[in-house]
């Protein structure tokens, strides 16, 4: 027993780890083998996928066939082979939810967990749906573009008015003054 552990502590076990992952608000899944067998998916991940718990135990491509043609499976297999972590922000994903295809955006990570022989034994997948953040940033970008166009239009108008004022000043300075406009007859 570690000197920092209290004698009343519950022994740490894989069941406790799974229980902790299951209660996590972050969508989380665990895959095993190069076939990406879904060994665990919490409610958050099942919701992201638009699936129920019946997908657990199936290969990812069989459980979520709409992933075909998207980069996820190749990325997972590369993480499996290399034993490295892959993280990305605002990545698009097409998934079927409630019978309809939906395009959402995610920050996600595939983390290879390595055994004592430096072999990948599973991949931990965490995800965060960021579609609304991306849409908000797009709105800001469009607003900034509109403001830039308006600023350019205002600068052009100001330049035009300045030019007109300068022309008016030039013309008025060449007008005869009141004292020498009348010619005596």
């Amino acid at each position: 027993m570690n000197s920092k552990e209290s004698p009343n502590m519950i022994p740490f076990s894989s069941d406790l780890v799974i229980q902790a992952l299951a209660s996590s608000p972050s969508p989380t899944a665990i895959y095993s083998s190069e076939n990406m067998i879904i060994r665990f998916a919490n409610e958050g991940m099942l919701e992201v996928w638009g699936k129920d718990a019946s997908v657990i135990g199936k290969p990812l491509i069989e459980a979520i066939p709409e992933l075909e043609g998207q980069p996820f499976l190749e990325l997972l297999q590369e993480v499996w082979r290399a034993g490295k972590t892959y993280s990305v922000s605002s990545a698009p994903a097409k998934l079927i939810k409630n019978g309809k295809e939906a395009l959402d955006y995610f920050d996600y990570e595939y983390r290879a967990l390595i055994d004592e022989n430096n072999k990948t034994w599973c991949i931990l997948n965490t995800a965060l749906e960021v579609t609304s953040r991306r849409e908000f940033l797009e709105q800001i970008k469009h607003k900034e573009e509109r403001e830039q166009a308006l600023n350019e239009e205002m600068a052009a108008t100001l330049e035009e008015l300045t030019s007109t004022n300068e022309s008016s000043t030039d013309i008025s300075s060449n007008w005869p003054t009141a004292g020498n406009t009348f010619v005596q007859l």
Side-chain angles (χ1 to χ4, degrees):
M1 178 170 25
N2 186 327
S3 61
K4 294 183 181 180
E5 291 180 8
S6 94
N8 298 332
M9 266 181 91
I10 298 172
F12 199 74
S13 70
S14 59
D15 289 340
L16 286 175
V17 172
I18 295 297
Q19 185 179 354
L21 292 173
S23 64
S24 172
S26 298
T28 305
I30 298 174
Y31 313 115
S32 67
S33 87
E34 284 190 73
N35 294 326
M36 299 304 136
I37 306 298
I38 302 168
R39 295 297 177 191
F40 170 83
N42 69 3
E43 286 300 318
M45 188 62 81
L46 293 172
E47 186 177 316
V48 162
W49 291 339
K51 306 294 179 192
D52 61 28
S54 66
V55 299
I56 296 173
K58 295 180 180 178
L60 191 59
I61 191 62
E62 182 184 318
I64 311 168
E66 60 267 26
L67 294 180
E68 185 72 42
Q70 298 184 64
F72 309 108
L73 297 170
E74 289 176 21
L75 290 169
L76 281 163
Q77 288 171 345
E78 180 58 29
V79 167
W80 184 271
R81 285 189 291 274
K84 304 286 183 188
T85 296
Y86 176 83
S87 297
V88 68
S89 295
S90 294
K94 291 180 186 173
L95 297 166
I96 307 292
K97 294 182 181 179
N98 301 319
K100 296 179 184 175
E101 185 178 276
L103 176 63
D104 289 318
Y105 291 83
F106 296 89
D107 293 348
Y108 66 89
E109 179 177 273
Y110 297 145
R111 180 175 299 274
L113 301 181
I114 308 300
D115 67 15
E116 63 277 353
N117 298 317
N118 281 335
K119 299 280 186 196
T120 302
W121 64 274
C122 76
I123 294 176
L124 177 65
N125 174 200
T126 54
L128 178 63
E129 199 266 325
V130 296
T131 304
S132 58
R133 177 185 75 189
R134 186 173 191 283
E135 289 170 352
F136 180 71
L137 292 174
E138 284 292 316
Q139 288 174 355
I140 290 172
K141 179 182 169 188
H142 291 309
K143 181 181 179 217
E144 288 173 348
E145 288 169 355
R146 285 192 309 269
E147 286 176 358
Q148 179 64 29
L150 186 59
N151 284 340
E152 289 171 6
E153 187 177 324
M154 287 172 41
T157 301
L158 181 60
E159 186 177 317
E160 202 175 294
L161 288 171
T162 302
S163 176
T164 302
N165 283 342
E166 287 172 357
S167 295
S168 296
T169 303
D170 289 345
I171 291 172
S172 68
S173 66
N174 292 328
W175 282 91
T177 60
N180 51 5
T181 46
F182 298 105
V183 179
Q184 279 195 342
L185 301 171

